[in-house]
Amino acid sequence: MAGCGSWVFFLTVCSASLFGASADIKVTIPVGRFFTHELLRETFQNDFEPLGKVYGILYNDPIIFKCNKQNFPDLPEWLRFTQRNPFDNGFLYGTPMSPGKSIIEIYATNQRSYDTVRHLLIIKVVPEKILPYQVEVFIKLREIEKVLPSTVQDEIKQDLQKLWDRNPLEMINITNALDRGGRVPLPLAGHFEGVYVKVGSKEYFSECLLRVLTLENKNQCKEEAKIKVPGECHFCINPSNCITWCKTELFDLTKMKPKPPAPTMGSGILEAGEDFRPLESPPSRDYFPDYIVTVIVPLILAIILFLLLAYIMFGRREGVAKRNARSNQIQLYHHYTIHENTDELRTMAGSRGVPPPLSTLPMFNSRTGDRASPLQSDSIPLIMAQQDPYSDTLPRK
Ligand SMILES: *[C@@H]1O[C@H](CO)[C@@H](O)[C@H](O)[C@H]1NC(C)=O
């Protein structure tokens, strides 16, 4: 196992020295100047297929990038990354505002083979004087990825240089208008996201630029935002690079108030002081009124209701007794009348001389009118239902 591990290690070192040595890119940039680093797909394609050239196979794979500061999940605050689609180059760009060193990890993933390579970009930011006069312009017909290539940056810089009396300029910032509250354009030809470009110079603003500050210009722009660049200040050769005049802003950093000093940081440990005194416990509360309201009052109500019910049920006994006495009388009356009626019937029955109806006599046959003597009754079958009930006189064939 140990041998295997060392082999893997050896191979890693080998491949690292073969392809990885060139992967570390070191750049030194000044504070307050715009920085761009283009991630060329071609370079990464070579890393994925190092022998491709030898065999004459050329791939054009979709490649996506993921960039972060080493040992951190994201990029430094000042650095931004953009790549429009996997067949375009990516860009790292931004303006560092304080000196220091950042190590950026760039992971490229080949979306065909899912191979991944890592490059390191070591950015050293060195102190530099901030340019006191800065101008920000808006270029409507551009997108950030189209402006970031250095050739386009130079074109734009040249145009602005003419606007600024041919003074040397430095690029300070390029921002996607979408990052500044711009709207996503319609997916149609002639609609662009727009970019803000900020340049700076040691020299004071030109006549042309100072027009931006005039009251007349401000009023005109307020009324209608589509004011053309004044004729003598119109320098853009490529129509894509033309600025929107009314969105031009001047910054005179010499007139800016110095920033209030940053709050001094403590050591993070509280100074030793007096002993900790816990808060006093809150005053004790009197629960007696609550007790009366929640327990005593319902109890009294319950007792009153109980007494009231008890009075209704038992207290009016007089009435109950009276009713009982009357019902006793009624019962007695009934008893006597039944008694009298029985006696009356008995006397009536005793005095009758008519023979009782035949049907009341035993063994009387209603069909023949025979009267069998009780002595003969043994010869008569008890069950006559042996015959057909519908022709009881005729025996069955
Ligand atoms: C550059 O533009 C970005 C985005 O608008 C902003 O956050 C950043 O502060 C700007 N940097 C400078 C130096 O102006």
Side-chain angles (χ1 to χ4, degrees):
M1 280 307 285
C4 185
S6 58
W7 261 107
V8 170
F9 174 71
F10 173 73
L11 283 177
T12 317
V13 170
C14 265
S15 55
S17 54
L18 266 177
F19 317 119
S22 62
D24 288 10
I25 303 155
K26 288 182 185 138
V27 288
T28 304
I29 52 167
V31 160
R33 305 289 193 277
F34 189 65
F35 160 76
T36 355
H37 177 73
E38 191 165 1
L39 305 178
L40 296 164
R41 288 176 60 253
E42 220 178 305
T43 318
F44 290 88
Q45 188 73 67
N46 283 342
D47 286 357
F48 291 129
E49 311 286 342
L51 305 176
K53 264 189 191 149
V54 179
Y55 296 117
I57 311 162
L58 291 175
Y59 285 105
N60 183 27
D61 297 333
I63 296 171
I64 53 165
F65 300 99
K66 194 201 157 284
C67 307
N68 63 279
K69 191 173 167 177
Q70 198 173 40
N71 302 325
F72 289 88
D74 208 346
L75 286 170
E77 190 202 356
W78 61 270
L79 196 60
R80 284 159 280 162
F81 171 76
T82 183
Q83 184 191 15
R84 184 98 350 184
N85 77 55
F87 289 99
D88 285 337
N89 289 336
F91 290 94
L92 280 164
Y93 66 101
T95 315
M97 291 313 286
S98 55
K101 191 171 141 181
S102 326
I103 301 175
I104 309 299
E105 285 178 316
I106 302 160
Y107 291 93
T109 306
N110 184 325
Q111 287 202 312
R112 180 180 59 86
S113 61
Y114 288 94
D115 284 342
T116 302
V117 291
R118 187 186 77 148
H119 284 192
L120 283 185
L121 174 67
I122 299 153
I123 303 172
K124 199 176 162 197
V125 183
V126 293
E128 178 72 66
K129 265 192 186 169
I130 297 291
L131 297 170
Y133 303 105
Q134 302 185 353
V135 172
E136 188 176 65
V137 296
F138 179 66
I139 302 174
K140 201 183 158 198
L141 304 178
R142 281 292 194 185
E143 270 159 9
I144 186 90
E145 289 88 356
K146 303 280 158 57
V147 170
L148 290 174
S150 54
T151 47
V152 183
Q153 279 189 46
D154 285 341
E155 269 178 38
I156 293 170
K157 211 158 89 172
Q158 275 166 25
D159 281 353
L160 293 175
Q161 223 153 7
K162 284 175 202 154
L163 192 64
W164 204 325
D165 288 346
R166 299 174 193 280
N167 279 321
L169 296 184
E170 294 285 349
M171 200 57 98
I172 289 182
N173 210 354
I174 297 181
T175 317
N176 190 341
L178 296 187
D179 294 344
R180 305 249 309 238
R183 298 173 93 184
V184 178
L186 291 172
L188 296 174
H191 289 76
F192 301 91
E193 289 165 2
V195 289
Y196 287 92
V197 176
K198 200 179 202 179
V199 289
S201 174
K202 274 185 237 167
E203 308 293 324
Y204 193 64
F205 304 117
S206 65
E207 287 290 311
C208 272
L209 285 171
L210 283 171
R211 277 180 190 222
V212 172
L213 298 176
T214 60
L215 205 63
E216 185 195 356
N217 184 73
K218 277 180 186 167
N219 285 339
Q220 272 181 351
C221 282
K222 227 182 252 173
E223 277 162 26
E224 201 190 347
K226 276 190 178 175
I227 301 288
K228 284 259 169 63
V229 183
E232 67 274 20
C233 299
H234 186 91
F235 294 112
C236 84
I237 302 153
N238 183 347
S240 301
N241 296 341
C242 290
I243 64 171
T244 303
W245 179 251
C246 283
K247 284 197 178 176
T248 306
E249 258 189 273
L250 310 187
F251 302 90
D252 188 346
L253 299 192
T254 55
K255 281 184 193 162
M256 291 214 172
K257 285 176 214 152
K259 276 188 195 164
T264 45
M265 292 287 211
S267 63
I269 300 161
L270 277 179
E271 283 165 29
E274 5 174 345
D275 291 337
F276 174 70
R277 267 184 291 131
L279 290 174
E280 276 172 29
S281 59
S284 64
R285 201 175 144 192
D286 186 8
Y287 288 102
F288 189 65
D290 293 342
Y291 175 69
I292 287 182
V293 168
T294 54
V295 176
I296 301 294
V297 169
L299 200 66
I300 288 171
L301 278 176
I303 289 170
I304 289 171
L305 279 174
F306 174 75
L307 290 178
L308 202 69
L309 269 172
Y311 170 71
I312 291 167
M313 296 288 288
F314 307 108
R316 288 156 61 93
R317 247 202 123 69
E318 204 188 342
V320 175
K322 265 184 197 162
R323 214 180 303 136
N324 283 353
R326 186 175 300 147
S327 76
N328 281 349
Q329 278 173 2
I330 292 165
Q331 274 174 16
L332 266 178
Y333 175 73
H334 276 217
H335 181 75
Y336 286 126
T337 44
I338 290 165
H339 206 75
E340 277 167 25
N341 292 351
T342 322
D343 283 348
E344 199 186 332
L345 280 170
R346 282 213 178 114
T347 46
M348 276 167 73
S351 67
R352 69 189 161 187
V354 205
L358 285 176
S359 62
T360 62
L361 291 173
M363 310 310 290
F364 169 74
N365 192 328
S366 61
R367 211 175 294 127
T368 56
D370 281 347
R371 243 200 318 170
S373 78
L375 293 172
Q376 288 170 346
S377 69
D378 292 346
S379 64
I380 299 167
L382 283 172
I383 301 166
M384 311 280 279
Q386 300 288 334
Q387 293 172 4
D388 191 276
Y390 298 104
S391 57
D392 45 355
T393 48
L394 291 170
R396 220 186 274 173
K397 277 179 194 172

